[in-house]
Amino acid sequence: MAKVILTKNRSKRIEHGHPWVFKTEIETVEGDFNPGDIVDVVNFKGKFLGRGYINPKSQIAVRFLTENKDEAVDREFFKKRIIAALKYRQSLEFRGSFRVVYGESDFLPALIVDKFEDILVIQTLALGMDRFKPVIVDVLREIFNPRGIYERNDVPVRELEGLPQQKGFLYGEFDPIVIIEENGLKFYVDVEKGQKTGFFLDQKENRQSLAPLVKGADVLECFCYTGAFAIYAARFGAKNVLAYDVSAEAVECANKNAEINNLSHICRFSEANAFDVLRRFYDEGRKFDVVILDPPAFAKNKFALENAVRGYKEINLRGLKLLKPGGYLVTSSCSHHVSEALFMEIIESAAFDAKLKLRLVESRTQAKDHPILLPAEETRYLKFLILQLL
Ligand code: SAH
C-alpha cells in the first residue's frame, strides 16, 4: 500500500476529524499506486492519520475511510459501515423511505444511498468509491434484500474525479416509478428521470413545520418540484395552494401526487418560471398568507456566490411583497456555499429594501438522515427559515 506523507505546515483540519486530504497538503507519496487505490496517510513525522482512497486528478486527493490502522477496507468494512448507518436511522425511527448513507457523515465518503420503500438508489461520486460499486451493491442486497437498485451517477461532480456521468439499473428489473409514503402522505418518485435521486428526502421534517401556519390559508409555492410542500400544506388545512415549477415532468408528477392524496381540489400546479410568477402576482396586487420558496442551489461552487446571492435576494424580496401582514415566508437554500448567517443577511436586506419588518419564527436544516459531521462543514447545506411579516 502506498503511503501519502503530508506537509508540515498545514492546518490541523484532519486532526480535527475532517475526512479529506487536499492535493496541496501532500509532501510526497512513497510507493506505487493507481488512481482509486487505498493508501495510508501519515503526517510529516510518520504518524498514521488515516486510510482512504486516492485520486491525483481531484483537488480532494484522499478521502478517509478509516482512522483505525487495524481496519482493512474490504467487503466486511462496507457491511459494517452500512449497518451502522442503517442502525442510526432506525434508532431515530426512520422507516420506509429515507437516506441510508450520507457520504462523509457516515464515514463512507462520496457514497449516497437513498431508500425508496423496497428500491435503493445509489450515487458513487468519487473514483475510489466508484471502484467499490460491485461490493456495495452486493452488501446492500444482503442487508436490505431490495426489489431493485438503481444508479444515479448522472451528476457533473463526477467529472472532477475523471468519472463519466451515467445512470441505470444495477440490480433487478423494476418499474422506476415508485410510490413512497412520507408522514402519512403518498408520493410518486421517478428514480430514473426524477431530479437527483428522485425525491428530496432532506426536507421531510421541514415539511411538517408547515402544520401550524397554513390552516385556512392561501398558499403560494414556487420551485415546487413534485409538489411535496404544496401537498403537505393542503393536508394541513390550506384553503388554496398555487404551486409552480419550470419542469413540465415535475408538474405532471405533482398533479399525480395531489390525486393519490385526494387533494387535487386544493392544489393547483402549473409549469412556469418562478421569477415571472412572482413578478406577475406582484403586478396584479395578489396577496397570500404563506409563500414557500425552495429553489435549486443557485451557488453550485464558491465562484458563483455573487450571482447566487442576487438570485436569493430577488426571489425572497418578491416573495415578501406578496405576503399579507402576519403572513409567513417559508424559504430555503440548499447551497452549501451560502451559510445560514449569509442567508439570514440576504433575507434581512430583502426586507429592508421592501420596507418590511420580519421576525424569525423557526430556523431548521436538513433532516436527521442527512446528519452534519461537525469537522466537515461541507456536510451542512440546507437552510430552512420561517419568517413572519409584521
Ligand atoms: N421543494 C421541492 C424541491 C424543489 S427542487 C420538494 O420538496 O420536493 C427545486 C425545483 O426548482 C426543481 O424542481 C426545478 O425544476 C425548479 N426550478 C429551477 N429553476 C426554476 C425556475 N426558474 N422557476 C421555477 N422552477 C424552477
Side-chain angles (χ1 to χ4, degrees):
M1 195 183 299
K3 196 197 276 182
V4 174
I5 299 158
L6 301 189
T7 55
K8 185 173 178 188
N9 296 317
R10 57 182 172 85
S11 78
K12 289 285 176 283
R13 210 185 68 257
I14 291 168
E15 282 77 355
H16 278 261
H18 194 283
W20 295 349
V21 175
F22 293 115
K23 224 178 192 169
T24 51
E25 294 173 312
I26 296 179
E27 184 68 51
T28 179
V29 183
E30 283 179 3
D32 293 333
F33 68 90
N34 287 316
D37 280 355
I38 302 291
V39 295
D40 277 354
V41 177
V42 300
N43 72 5
F44 74 103
K45 288 183 180 158
K47 182 172 177 274
F48 179 85
L49 295 174
R51 178 171 293 147
Y53 53 77
I54 188 165
N55 185 359
K57 228 194 191 114
S58 169
Q59 289 305 315
I60 307 168
V62 181
R63 299 185 197 230
F64 287 136
L65 291 158
T66 178
E67 292 169 16
N68 175 358
K69 228 187 342 224
D70 302 320
E71 192 170 44
V73 180
D74 51 14
R75 188 183 189 281
E76 266 320 286
F77 167 88
F78 281 96
K79 187 172 163 188
K80 207 167 47 185
R81 282 281 193 280
I82 294 172
I83 288 178
L86 174 62
K87 283 209 169 124
Y88 162 76
R89 273 84 181 164
Q90 285 173 334
S91 74
L92 294 170
E93 298 184 340
F94 283 89
R95 302 278 182 270
S97 299
F98 54 91
R99 177 153 292 188
V100 179
V101 174
Y102 176 48
E104 276 70 357
S105 297
D106 287 298
F107 310 105
L108 287 167
L111 175 66
I112 300 293
V113 180
D114 281 350
K115 181 176 175 300
F116 297 115
E117 305 301 326
D118 54 1
I119 297 296
L120 299 173
V121 180
I122 78 166
Q123 295 179 312
T124 45
L125 303 173
L127 175 65
M129 192 51 87
D130 195 63
R131 293 212 333 201
F132 285 106
K133 208 164 64 184
V135 178
I136 294 164
V137 168
D138 191 51
V139 168
L140 289 173
R141 285 181 60 184
E142 182 188 334
I143 299 173
F144 293 93
N145 187 24
R147 195 155 57 84
I149 303 178
Y150 198 86
E151 166 183 16
R152 282 303 299 266
N153 274 330
D154 50 329
V155 272
V157 286
R158 296 239 313 172
E159 284 167 14
L160 302 176
E161 293 274 325
L163 290 165
Q165 293 196 44
Q166 62 192 54
K167 61 177 177 177
F169 295 89
L170 292 176
Y171 162 66
E173 278 172 35
F174 53 92
D175 181 351
I177 299 178
V178 188
I179 297 179
I180 67 161
E181 200 172 307
E182 188 187 84
N183 297 318
L185 290 162
K186 290 196 169 72
F187 295 97
Y188 285 97
V189 176
D190 187 341
V191 302
E192 181 180 31
K193 300 204 190 85
Q195 298 186 23
K196 302 278 172 78
T197 61
F199 191 75
F200 293 91
L201 295 164
D202 54 357
Q203 292 277 25
K204 171 179 174 167
E205 295 164 358
N206 299 336
R207 292 180 185 126
Q208 293 273 47
S209 60
L210 288 182
L213 317 178
V214 295
K215 285 193 185 64
D218 267 319
V219 177
L220 170 67
E221 185 189 6
C222 286
F223 312 95
C224 69
Y225 186 47
T226 54
F229 275 102
I231 288 165
Y232 271 70
R235 169 56 52 88
F236 292 140
K239 188 168 74 194
N240 249 304
V241 185
L242 293 180
Y244 300 88
D245 199 280
V246 80
S247 150
E249 296 81 41
V251 167
E252 190 188 330
C253 184
N255 276 318
K256 280 177 23 188
N257 284 333
E259 258 165 52
I260 41 166
N261 290 292
N262 298 317
L263 293 166
S264 298
H265 56 296
I266 296 173
C267 301
R268 196 148 92 239
F269 295 102
S270 313
E271 182 188 336
N273 183 328
F275 289 84
D276 299 340
V277 169
L278 291 165
R279 191 174 309 124
R280 176 163 54 83
F281 281 148
Y282 177 70
D283 291 344
E284 290 171 0
R286 285 286 293 269
K287 295 279 178 183
F288 297 88
D289 300 295
V290 178
V291 172
I292 304 168
L293 304 172
D294 183 17
F298 286 157
K300 300 258 192 269
N301 56 54
K302 57 179 185 261
F303 309 106
L305 197 57
E306 211 173 296
N307 281 337
V309 169
R310 214 170 303 128
Y312 285 120
K313 181 162 174 187
E314 181 172 348
I315 57 166
N316 282 288
L317 177 62
R318 291 184 186 283
L320 280 174
K321 287 180 173 172
L322 299 180
L323 281 177
K324 297 177 193 166
Y328 296 99
L329 177 70
V330 177
T331 184
S332 283
S333 161
C334 58
S335 301
H336 155 68
H337 299 282
V338 175
S339 67
E340 188 188 70
L342 174 58
F343 192 46
M344 210 80 93
E345 238 174 75
I346 294 170
I347 307 292
E348 201 281 325
S349 130
F352 174 79
D353 286 4
K355 300 190 173 58
L356 296 170
K357 201 166 253 159
L358 295 175
R359 58 184 177 190
L360 181 64
V361 180
E362 206 171 343
S363 167
R364 306 179 52 88
T365 184
Q366 60 231 39
K368 299 182 195 72
D369 51 348
H370 300 56
I372 296 159
L373 182 67
L374 286 194
E377 253 304 304
E378 298 80 2
T379 59
R380 180 200 300 271
Y381 65 95
L382 188 61
K383 276 76 50 188
F384 175 89
L385 306 179
I386 299 177
L387 302 124
Q388 187 184 34
L389 180 63
L390 295 173

